[in-house]
Amino acid sequence: MERRRKQPTGKGPAEWFTGEVWIDPIIQGEPTAKLSIGAVHFSPGARTAWHSHEGGQTLYVTEGRGVVQSRGEDAVEIRPGDVTYTPDGEEHWHGATREHFMTHLSITEGPPHWGAHVANAQYQESHPR
Ligand code: MN
C-alpha cells in the first residue's frame, strides 16, 4: 500500500482555461493503469477551452454550479452529484456558472486534445438562463 499526502494545488494553464482554475491531482496513470483522476476547481465564470478526450471523460460534480456544452448542442447546468460522460473525440467545454464556484472530478483514460478558448460572448450566450 502506498499512502501519499496531498500534493500542492496547481494552477490550470492559460492555454487550456479561461479564468482562475486550480487542479488537485488524485491519480495520474499509475503503473499498468491509464486512469487519471483530478479535482478541478473553477472560479465563477472560469471554463475550459473547447477540447475532446481520447477514451472519453466522466465528470462528477462535487461542489457548486457548473455548465457543460458539446459542440452543436445547448449548454446544460450541472450540480453536485451529477455525472456527465463525454464520448471519445466529442468536442465540448465545461466550467463554472457566472455566479458560483464549481468543482468536479475529471476521470479519463487518455489525453485531451485542446482547441480554441470559449470566448466571453459565446460563454454568455450559451449560459443557461
Ligand atoms: Mn472535458
Side-chain angles (χ1 to χ4, degrees):
M1 182 182 293
E2 181 184 333
R3 295 186 307 118
R4 280 172 289 190
R5 295 295 185 190
K6 185 182 179 303
Q7 298 299 301
T9 299
K11 179 103 170 59
E15 310 94 277
W16 303 343
F17 299 98
T18 298
E20 290 273 311
V21 178
W22 294 89
I23 302 170
D24 285 310
I26 298 173
I27 61 169
Q28 288 184 296
E30 306 298 327
T32 78
K34 294 190 293 180
L35 185 64
S36 287
I37 304 177
V40 188
H41 311 277
F42 297 83
S43 60
R47 66 273 186 181
T48 68
W50 286 98
H51 65 285
S52 62
H53 302 272
E54 278 184 41
Q57 179 184 43
T58 299
L59 300 177
Y60 177 75
V61 180
T62 58
E63 288 186 58
R65 296 285 182 272
V67 186
V68 294
Q69 185 175 28
S70 285
R71 184 73 76 184
E73 298 181 13
D74 289 338
V76 176
E77 185 172 301
I78 50 175
R79 295 182 169 217
D82 290 352
V83 174
T84 303
Y85 177 72
T86 305
D88 179 279
E90 183 171 305
E91 266 197 302
H92 68 288
W93 62 270
H94 28 106
T97 62
R98 285 178 292 221
E99 296 176 324
H100 299 276
F101 284 81
M102 189 275 284
T103 298
H104 64 50
L105 298 183
S106 165
I107 303 165
T108 58
E109 292 188 289
H113 296 285
W114 293 98
H117 282 89
V118 177
N120 287 332
Q122 190 174 29
Y123 175 77
Q124 299 296 346
E125 178 186 310
S126 64
H127 207 81
R129 314 272 169 226

